[in-house]
Amino acid sequence: MAVAHYENFPVASVLLPAPLRPAVKAIYAFARSADDIADEGDASSDKRLAALNKYEMELDAIAEGQIAVTPLFRDLQAVIIQYQLPMAPFKDLLSAFKQDVVTTRYEDHRQVLDYCSRSANPVGTLMLHLYQAANQENLHDSDSICSALQLTNFLQDVAIDWDKERIYLPQKDMREFGVHPSHIARQTKEPVWGHLMQYEINRCRQLMLSGAPLAGRLSGRIGWELRLVIQGGLRILERIEQVNGDVFRKRPKLGPVDWVIIAWRACTSRIYH
């Protein structure tokens, strides 16, 4: 899932086993701080990229067996060593954050998925490694879930991303549905916008459901955590549908009633088989 601001999809809920919480906290601190470098404040693009390059140098030093200097990377290094985590997911996250600094448009769905493969999928990969469940089938389904969660976040945050001068909706899809960036700028209610959003929702939901069996294969708390995450994402898509894609004035945000629905569906849904 997207690393920045998990308001809907908590990473370290009460379901997370206590022994793993320090590891998840260290990974999250790394990812969140790097994401903030790319997104927050008023630093120039060059300064943002330079700061992210320093993060990459820190990762290279860890890979070479050098002792990390800063508390952030000392904690991360301890987790990497203890759980024998691969370095590639951390590098992939940095690659996505760097891309956010320089890329504001994506031509087609393939390009958006490529971004998701580095901005979201590494989180699921690292979690599976922490749980010692990182086999090929699990990684494949995890990628589908994480990419779907990232795509859901893009649909939910169209207006927020526009304020950052970014559009994650594929430009090809926008053209096919007759949607122009000006529609986003003026927060349109025109039918073409709703049609585009429904198309993106359908594709995102299909991707989420394709990875859902992973939650049925993972036993214990991680399986239940994942069921809630999946249902949280599906609920957001449902809420976007209910407002016909008007995320400008009615941006979906999960509340107490939603979480009751999510918990019920996590217990009763057949999508995990």
Side-chain angles (χ1 to χ4, degrees), residues 31-43:
R32 177 63 180 269
S33 63
D35 184 51
D36 284 347
I37 290 172
D39 265 351
E40 303 299 326
D42 55 2

Side-chain angles (χ1 to χ4, degrees), residues 149-196:
L149 290 169
Q150 177 75 90
L151 294 172
T152 299
N153 185 248
F154 289 156
L155 297 180
Q156 182 183 19
D157 285 349
V158 170
I160 292 173
D161 292 329
W162 175 256
D163 288 340
K164 299 175 183 177
E165 301 182 350
R166 295 180 192 151
I167 299 177
Y168 289 101
L169 298 173
Q171 299 295 294
K172 180 180 178 182
D173 294 352
M174 292 176 64
R175 291 194 298 270
E176 289 180 354
F177 281 89
V179 173
H180 189 269
S182 63
H183 286 95
I184 301 175
R186 66 174 186 266
Q187 300 188 349
T188 183
K189 289 184 178 181
E190 294 179 33
V192 291
W193 176 256
H195 297 158
L196 170 64

Side-chain angles (χ1 to χ4, degrees), residues 39-237:
D39 265 351
E40 303 299 326
D42 55 2
S44 68
S45 296
D46 288 343
K47 288 183 177 179
R48 294 180 191 275
L49 291 174
L52 290 171
N53 285 335
K54 288 182 179 179
Y55 267 43
E56 189 162 14
M57 291 172 62
E58 294 269 18
L59 290 179
D60 289 338
I62 291 174
E64 293 170 2
Q66 300 178 27
I67 298 175
V69 177
T70 63
L72 174 70
F73 282 94
R74 281 202 303 268
D75 291 344
L76 187 64
Q77 183 175 38
V79 170
I80 290 171
I81 293 172
Q82 180 179 355
Y83 294 95
Q84 298 183 322
L85 299 179
M87 298 300 296
F90 298 103
K91 289 289 195 72
D92 286 343
L93 285 170
L94 288 182
S95 171
F97 298 146
K98 290 179 184 179
Q99 186 166 315
D100 269 334
V101 176
V102 298
T103 303
T104 61
R105 302 290 188 275
Y106 293 85
E107 173 57 23
D108 54 32
H109 186 60
R110 179 190 60 80
Q111 290 184 359
V112 178
L113 284 181
D114 174 71
Y115 172 82
C116 292
S117 73
R118 289 171 288 115
S119 69
N121 298 4
V123 177
T125 296
L126 291 169
M127 291 297 291
L128 286 176
H129 277 279
L130 289 178
Y131 276 92
Q132 299 182 335
N135 60 49
Q136 184 173 359
E137 184 180 24
N138 289 350
L139 288 168
H140 178 272
D141 285 353
S142 173
D143 286 349
S144 296
I145 294 167
C146 291
S147 286
L149 290 169
Q150 177 75 90
L151 294 172
T152 299
N153 185 248
F154 289 156
L155 297 180
Q156 182 183 19
D157 285 349
V158 170
I160 292 173
D161 292 329
W162 175 256
D163 288 340
K164 299 175 183 177
E165 301 182 350
R166 295 180 192 151
I167 299 177
Y168 289 101
L169 298 173
Q171 299 295 294
K172 180 180 178 182
D173 294 352
M174 292 176 64
R175 291 194 298 270
E176 289 180 354
F177 281 89
V179 173
H180 189 269
S182 63
H183 286 95
I184 301 175
R186 66 174 186 266
Q187 300 188 349
T188 183
K189 289 184 178 181
E190 294 179 33
V192 291
W193 176 256
H195 297 158
L196 170 64
M197 290 292 280
Q198 187 63 59
Y199 176 78
E200 302 297 342
I201 288 167
N202 292 343
R203 183 161 57 185
C204 184
R205 181 183 287 120
Q206 182 179 4
L207 183 61
M208 185 87 75
L209 293 174
S210 73
L214 174 61
R217 292 196 302 272
L218 295 179
S219 61
R221 291 185 174 188
I222 181 60
W224 285 107
E225 170 88 6
L226 190 54
R227 287 175 185 234
L228 291 171
V229 167
I230 291 168
Q231 291 297 337
L234 293 173
R235 181 60 176 167
I236 287 291
L237 294 175

